[in-house]
Amino acid sequence: FLQWTHGVYVITRDKRNISAKKILLNPSLIGLVIGIILFLLPVKLPALVNQGINEMAAVNGPLAMMILGAYLSQADFKKIFTDLQTYKVSLIRLIAAPLVTLLLLSLLPSSLNIVKMTALITVSTPVGTNAPVFGQMFDKDYVSATGYVSLSTILSVITMPLIILLASFLWKM
């Protein structure tokens, strides 16, 4: 929902690109609704359908990497590693947001530590590959977005373990 509202607005700076039809009919929301319905109802899908879903799930990660690779082939690596804005985005995404989340989650009881850690790991991940996809979809600067994804992915190798280690120490896990 946020991708098709706030995300689209951040990329385009134009509220006219946000419509109820696009929000309600985007593949992510449709998949989410179907998934919730299947989870809540005692429906057993045929083996062939389950196998198809499992096969699609298996290609999800590699497909995202192939899309990122296609964008990276057009990127200026010198700009990625020398652009201050790229580091600023990575700092916010990989350090500021996880630390604020860590502090807020620390207010919850320790009985929820596994849920808290799951949420923290989610917030600590690098910029998603959907950023350049949306940039290109709306004819915006997808090359810079590719730089954000690339640099934040590289830096997350260091930041994610540190954030998780800090949370483990604070939450005594």
Side-chain angles (χ1 to χ4, degrees):
F1 177 78
L2 284 173
Q3 286 181 353
W4 290 93
T5 54
H6 180 68
V8 169
Y9 179 74
V10 166
I11 289 172
T12 64
R13 297 288 183 214
D14 187 355
K15 290 182 182 178
R16 291 176 295 180
N17 288 311
I18 301 169
S19 71
K21 181 180 177 183
K22 286 181 183 177
I23 294 168
L24 296 174
L25 296 180
N26 78 74
S28 300
L29 187 60
I30 292 170
L32 176 68
V33 170
I34 292 170
I36 289 172
I37 291 169
L38 290 175
F39 179 78
L40 295 175
L41 296 177
V43 176
K44 185 167 171 44
L45 296 173
L48 185 61
V49 174
N50 269 336
Q51 182 181 356
I53 291 170
N54 289 335
E55 296 294 328
M56 286 190 327
V59 299
N60 191 30
L63 183 59
M65 294 301 105
M66 289 185 343
I67 290 169
L68 181 59
Y71 286 124
L72 277 173
S73 68
Q74 302 170 34
D76 178 0
F77 284 98
K78 183 179 178 186
K79 183 179 183 226
I80 289 173
F81 292 105
T82 58
D83 182 25
L84 190 59
Q85 180 66 21
T86 307
Y87 284 95
K88 199 184 305 182
V89 167
S90 293
L91 176 76
I92 292 168
R93 177 65 191 185
L94 300 174
I95 297 173
L99 287 178
V100 168
T101 302
L102 174 68
L103 292 173
L104 292 173
L105 290 173
S106 294
L107 300 173
L108 298 174
S110 62
S111 61
L112 296 174
N113 277 354
I114 292 175
V115 174
K116 289 164 36 176
M117 187 63 80
T118 303
L120 182 64
I121 290 170
T122 302
V123 173
S124 301
T125 58
V127 175
T129 54
N130 59 340
V133 171
F134 268 56
Q136 190 171 31
M137 245 171 60
F138 291 101
D139 199 28
K140 299 296 177 186
D141 183 12
Y142 67 89
V143 176
S144 290
T146 301
Y148 302 156
V149 173
S150 304
L151 186 65
S152 67
T153 300
I154 292 166
L155 295 176
S156 72
V157 172
I158 298 164
T159 60
M160 281 187 74
L162 291 175
I163 294 291
I164 294 167
L165 184 66
L166 179 61
S168 297
F169 174 75
L170 291 174
W171 297 337
K172 296 174 180 47
M173 292 183 75

